[in-house]
Amino acid sequence: MALLSASFLFVAGIGISVPSLIAQVASVSNASTRGLAVALYTFVLFIGASLGPWLAQQTANLPLESMYLLLAGLLGCCAMYALTGPGTEKHAQAN
């Protein structure tokens, strides 16, 4: 019963927050690229929601140490992308 109520609370939180996040993306986008920005953001959001259960099932049999290493590697890749990815040159030139 606790798992069902936690799942309901999680889904309700997503249902409440997603429309406001999409509205935020639409409000900060230029008028000429607003449709593309909202479509891309929504696509990425729902791809993550679709792949999450499959990925959890595929990695369920891995030992805990392997999961920690996998998550640390993913976090490291995201950090490297954030530091060296596209758009960082403009920020560095502005300062």
Side-chain angles (χ1 to χ4, degrees):
M1 186 65 175
L3 184 61
L4 181 64
S5 59
S7 178
F8 178 77
L9 184 63
F10 179 71
V11 171
I14 290 174
I16 291 170
S17 65
V18 166
S20 63
L21 288 172
I22 292 173
Q24 179 68 22
V25 168
S27 69
V28 298
S29 302
N30 294 334
S32 61
T33 59
R34 184 170 295 144
L36 178 64
V38 171
L40 184 63
Y41 182 77
T42 306
F43 172 75
V44 169
L45 182 73
F46 287 115
I47 282 293
S50 299
L51 289 180
W54 176 81
L55 188 61
Q57 184 179 10
Q58 296 300 316
T59 59
N61 295 329
L62 289 176
L64 190 59
E65 294 84 10
S66 297
M67 286 301 298
Y68 286 148
L69 286 173
L70 180 67
L71 291 174
L74 181 62
L75 182 62
C77 289
C78 291
M80 289 300 292
Y81 179 77
L83 293 173
T84 63
T88 56
E89 296 86 22
K90 292 178 188 176
H91 182 66
Q93 290 174 356
N95 290 333

